[in-house]
Every structure is written in structure tokens, then in C-alpha cells.
Amino acid sequence: MAVAAASTVASMTKQWVAPRPGGSDVFELVDVEVPAPGPGEVTVRVRAAGMNPADAKHTQRGDPADFPVPIGYEVAGVVSAVGPDTAIASGAVAVGDEVVAFRVRGGWTEEITLPAADVFAKPGSIGFPEAANLLLAGTTAADLIRVTAVQAGDTVLVHGASGAVGVSLLQQLRALGARAIGTASAANADAVRGFGGDWVAYGDGLEARVRDLAASGVDVALDCVGSDEAVEVSLALVADRSRIATIAAFGRAADAGITAIGGAQPDSAAFRDSVRARLIDLAGRGELVVPVARTFPLSEARAALELLESGHPGGKIALLP
């Protein structure tokens, strides 16, 4: 039985928004109203907000009339109010419960009112920064596995295996019983191996190095970087182009006859929503780890973005209100 709302009036909070189309340079920290939760809603006091390249990418263009746009897609925190007759996606909820939420609109904030259907109980075994960075990368990785029909025993080439989506892919492929070969720099070789992949250096000669590692061939290629090298090597190694998928090389996908996926595509959106509970359960059991490189105060989001956009954060980054 859900607990009644702890508050029936709106409050104010700090939130990062894009006031007009543009990248992270236009972001502003402003005061916004947090509405009291209605039926089917909960209010969450944010303990950590996840950070993803998509946060800035999705505000770079659009109709100025649709702005300001709140920033941030995933959070972890503590329930501060519950709407009437409301349960969250994982079941009953009460004020004080620890939760994780995705897909969120405006997660870079201190407090937020959300549809309860997007909120799940947070396992006590994972921290708030890890939980806040679990689901965008995790559901993207799961979607790549779905569209290429990866099965136990498959050999899968993962381009960009040390990035957030790549690290989640390595772990999910291991859980499926598939073999992963992951491209990364030499500096990240141990990370690839640690998450269950066979490391291979990207760069000139990649195709030959992968062939040396996979004497029986490569069944699937999953591209998380979008480089010409990733596309060309995938095409050279995988006979069935329906088993090559990318989240980055949209410009080449159609001509190459490979699958490009994004969270806004209806099939992908529905699948990513459907798999959230399973990924949270895997994380709670320690079978899906989210490496966090650094945390920043909410007010220092611009500095955090500089590190994220450098391309070498060394793991996930979280904002702490």
C-alpha cells in the first residue's frame, strides 16, 4: 500500500537547463518549481544524477520555441513524496525509499517529480552514483544485443569496449555466454579484460589482429564509436550484415546495410523501458558493475562536462546535489 504524499504543495529547486539550442556552453543553473506529485507520480530528492554524452548532444539543435530544455536522463535518490494511490514500477513505495529512475527529463537537479512508472527500487548493494549511471548505458547495450540476436557461443566484436556502453556490453555478453573481443587503447586493456573481454588494440591492422584472436570467425559486431575503421572492419569480418549494429555511425549505416539504433526509435524505446528491471537486478547481484571515475557537485556541472566531453573520463561521472 503506497504511503500518502508527504507534501501537497509545490517547492523550488535548482536545475540545469538549456535555455536555447546549443551545447553545454549554453547550460544554466536556474530555480524551478517542483510540483507536488499527483496520482501515478513520486517526488525524488536526488542524491546523484548520471551524466552521458547525449545530455549535451540532444540540445544542440531544435526549435527555439521548445526551449528551455531540462538536462539529464537518469537519477538515483530518496523518495520525498508519493502521489495518491501510487506504486512505482518495482512495487509499493514509501517516503524515504531509495530509488533509481530512467527515463528522466531534467535529472540534473536537487529534486524532481517523476512518473512512478519510470522509478524502481535501488538495490542497497550499489551506491547512488553507480545507480544513477546504470540504465542509459545499460539499456543501450542490451538493445545492441537484441537487434543482432546475440546467442550463447557467439563471438562478438565490440568497438569502443572501454566506454560506458562498451563496459556494459562486455558484462552482458559474458552473462549470455557469448565471447567478446573488445577494441580499446593499450591503457584500457586491463579494463576490457577485467569486464570479461579479450582485448585488441584499435588502429592500423585491426582486422588482422581480430582474425588472429578469432580463428573460427566473428559472428556479430557492435559499434560504440562510429569511426570508419569500426565500420570497415565490421563489414570485413561479419558475413551477415544484419548482425552488425551501431549507435554512432548513423551516416554510414544505411549505405553499408547495417543497423543503427537510437533511444528515440519506437522499437528501441519500448525495449529499453522493458529491460530496466532486469538490469537493476543484475547490478544488485553484482553481475553488472558501473565504474565511476569521479563525482562533482551539482553546481560544477560545466567542469564535469569538460571531463566527459574530453572522451577520456576513465569511467562514469555523477553530479551530487
Side-chain angles (χ1 to χ4, degrees):
M1 190 72 178
V3 173
S7 172
T8 58
V9 297
S11 59
M12 299 300 292
T13 192
K14 295 285 188 183
Q15 184 180 69
W16 283 94
V17 304
R20 60 187 181 278
S24 57
D25 56 307
V26 308
F27 289 4
E28 295 179 357
L29 184 61
V30 299
D31 292 313
V32 298
E33 185 178 273
V34 183
E41 294 180 327
V42 296
T43 301
V44 175
R45 172 65 63 175
V46 176
R47 293 287 183 85
M51 300 191 76
N52 297 280
D55 296 330
K57 185 183 301 182
H58 291 171
T59 66
Q60 289 176 352
R61 54 186 59 87
D63 186 342
D66 295 332
F67 286 72
V69 171
I71 310 302
Y73 293 108
E74 52 186 338
V75 301
V78 176
V79 174
S80 56
V82 181
D85 302 316
T86 293
I88 59 175
S90 52
V93 65
V95 170
D97 286 354
E98 296 182 354
V99 294
V100 56
F102 172 77
R103 309 170 181 237
V104 166
R105 190 172 187 268
W108 292 11
T109 187
E110 298 167 323
E111 193 169 33
I112 187 169
T113 295
L114 303 166
D118 295 324
V119 181
F120 299 78
K122 181 185 79 65
S125 57
I126 59 175
F128 287 105
E130 290 78 12
N133 278 292
L134 170 66
L135 290 176
L136 192 149
T139 60
T140 302
D143 201 17
L144 283 167
I145 291 170
R146 172 188 69 91
V147 297
T148 52
V150 177
Q151 305 173 50
D154 281 342
T155 295
V156 182
L157 176 62
V158 178
H159 296 281
S162 64
V165 176
V167 163
S168 190
L169 269 171
L170 293 177
Q171 296 175 83
Q172 293 186 50
L173 290 168
R174 178 170 57 186
L176 276 174
R179 179 194 179 193
I181 297 173
T183 75
S185 67
N188 290 313
D190 287 344
V192 172
R193 295 186 182 113
F195 288 112
D198 294 323
W199 170 71
V200 62
Y202 58 74
D204 290 346
L206 174 60
E207 180 187 342
R209 290 192 294 277
V210 174
R211 289 188 186 278
D212 287 342
L213 283 172
S216 298
V218 175
D219 302 294
V220 177
L222 306 176
D223 169 36
C224 304
V225 292
S227 65
D228 287 340
E229 174 188 72
V231 174
E232 294 300 333
V233 169
S234 297
L235 292 171
L237 292 171
V238 179
D240 182 352
R241 293 194 176 189
S242 72
R243 305 199 78 193
I244 303 173
T246 181
I247 58 170
F250 289 91
R252 294 202 58 189
D255 290 341
I258 65 177
T259 301
I261 61 169
Q265 295 169 354
D267 287 350
S268 285
F271 173 78
R272 295 181 194 197
D273 283 350
S274 75
V275 80
R276 292 175 294 184
R278 180 172 67 83
L279 297 178
I280 293 169
D281 182 60
L282 284 174
R285 299 202 308 263
E287 297 176 22
L288 185 57
V289 175
V290 179
V292 173
R294 284 193 62 182
T295 62
F296 287 79
L298 180 67
S299 61
E300 296 181 16
R302 286 202 180 94
L305 277 167
E306 288 181 11
L307 177 58
L308 179 67
E309 293 173 344
S310 73
H312 302 284
K316 296 292 289 183
I317 302 171
L319 299 175
L320 307 184

